[in-house]
Amino acid sequence: MELIIQPGERQIATLVADAITALLDRKPDAVLGLATGSSPLAVYDELVRRYEAGQVSFARARAFMLDEYVGLAADHPQRYRNVIKTELTGRVDIPAEAVQGPDGLGEDVPAACAAYEQAIAAAGGVDLQILGIGTDGHIAFNEPGSSLASRTRIKTLTRQTRVDNARFFDGDLDQVPTHCLTQGLGTIMSAKHLVLVATGGHKAEAIQHLVEGSVSAMWPATIMQHHPHATVLVDGAAASRLELADYYRETYETKPAWQGL
Ligand code: GLP
């Protein structure tokens, strides 16, 4: 796992956008894994800026979402498919039909989850998966206790996650759905490159477990320690509990330029 400490989200966004731009340059029909939440927003803004400047095209790209709330109406602004359209896919040239997410409105939940796994596999798998991390160490919506080998399925959100996400629902906990469909940890681990971004002191404990803790279903993101190509980009506050922070800084400063992320 590579740990990169940067001054702030703007610098992090530049590095992640560099990696995505380079991927689309060498593979224009690349499969992107998209996350919602506030962490990737600066990355999406930077990608839109580059698209508008003619520096990158998503015309042949495909994209898969990590997760979706169960039961939010098709036109609900917090439905993740609508969120991602507002934040990224509706602002660049990726065709609408090339963006897929788990169907949180389907009646047959297991069938919807299986269909989603098949769609990802049929696309050849995800080339680069963007991830945020919850304060309880979840990635996508794989809450503590999730099977480290899980695939797309229905999950119950923890109270902590619902409290964290209430800010997107007028601060009203009752409006936050109780269930979601989420790619499993096994699904996420099948992506070729994992890129996780986190900023702020409220993420420091989760980042400490992710990078330096034991692999455990209690901190689901720790499964990333088993991934051959995982990059974690954080600011100083999110890195504040890392024992080897100086080593990570030194390693990045002396990294050969040709390596990229
Ligand atoms: C949400 C999402 C995750 C996201 C995480 C952190 O619940 N399902 O994909 O990474 O929580 O969100 P944020 O980036 O807003 O802190």
Side-chain angles (χ1 to χ4, degrees):
M1 181 183 293
E2 180 176 27
L3 194 281
I4 301 174
I5 304 171
Q6 290 289 296
E9 64 173 11
R10 206 168 43 81
Q11 292 86 354
I12 292 172
T14 300
L15 292 175
V16 177
D18 285 349
I20 294 172
T21 308
L23 170 64
L24 288 167
D25 273 351
R26 70 174 183 272
K27 186 179 179 187
D29 63 346
V31 179
L32 302 175
L34 302 177
T36 47
S38 33
S39 301
L41 293 182
V43 174
Y44 296 158
D45 285 344
E46 176 60 16
L47 289 173
V48 171
R49 194 191 64 73
R50 292 181 190 202
Y51 162 69
E52 286 172 350
Q55 294 165 357
V56 64
S57 170
F58 299 80
R60 292 178 54 203
R62 281 96 28 96
F64 287 91
M65 313 264 316
L66 276 176
D67 47 13
E68 183 59 272
Y69 289 115
V70 168
L72 285 189
D75 61 351
H76 195 292
Q78 287 308 320
R79 188 176 177 231
Y80 278 170
R81 275 205 223 187
N82 298 332
V83 171
I84 206 68
K85 191 174 169 194
T86 307
E87 304 297 358
L88 177 67
T89 56
R91 301 162 71 198
V92 297
D93 57 348
I94 190 167
E97 63 277 10
V99 184
Q100 298 191 55
D103 181 6
L105 289 170
E107 289 205 346
D108 186 342
V109 169
C113 294
Y116 196 57
E117 286 281 335
Q118 276 161 18
I120 296 172
V126 171
D127 290 299
L128 186 153
Q129 177 64 60
I130 300 172
L131 294 163
I133 188 167
T135 54
D136 62 2
H138 72 243
I139 49 174
F141 268 138
N142 292 282
E143 298 284 26
S146 289
S147 158
L148 298 178
S150 48
R151 311 301 301 194
T152 303
R153 69 217 182 288
I154 191 166
K155 288 292 285 180
T156 308
L157 298 173
T158 62
R159 191 176 170 82
Q160 179 64 55
T161 296
R162 294 181 62 237
V163 168
D164 287 348
N165 288 1
R167 68 189 192 281
F168 298 115
F169 293 83
D170 307 321
D172 179 3
L173 188 60
D174 291 339
Q175 285 185 44
V176 186
T178 52
H179 289 80
C180 63
L181 302 187
T182 180
Q183 285 191 30
L185 294 170
T187 319
I188 294 168
M189 288 291 285
S190 304
K192 295 172 190 80
H193 184 192
L194 302 182
V195 178
L196 185 144
V197 297
T199 54
H202 62 303
K203 298 291 173 75
E205 187 184 13
I207 290 297
Q208 179 190 28
H209 281 278
L210 163 61
V211 182
E212 296 179 343
S214 308
V215 175
S216 160
M218 281 306 288
W219 290 91
T222 56
I223 188 63
M224 288 173 61
Q225 292 179 24
H226 282 290
H227 198 284
H229 191 185
T231 312
V232 176
L233 300 105
V234 294
D235 67 356
S240 59
R241 292 176 64 152
L242 293 174
E243 210 172 298
L244 300 183
D246 289 345
Y247 172 63
Y248 307 136
R249 284 198 170 92
E250 239 176 78
T251 304
Y252 188 66
E253 275 162 23
T254 56
K255 182 177 173 173
W258 54 263
Q259 259 187 328
L261 286 194

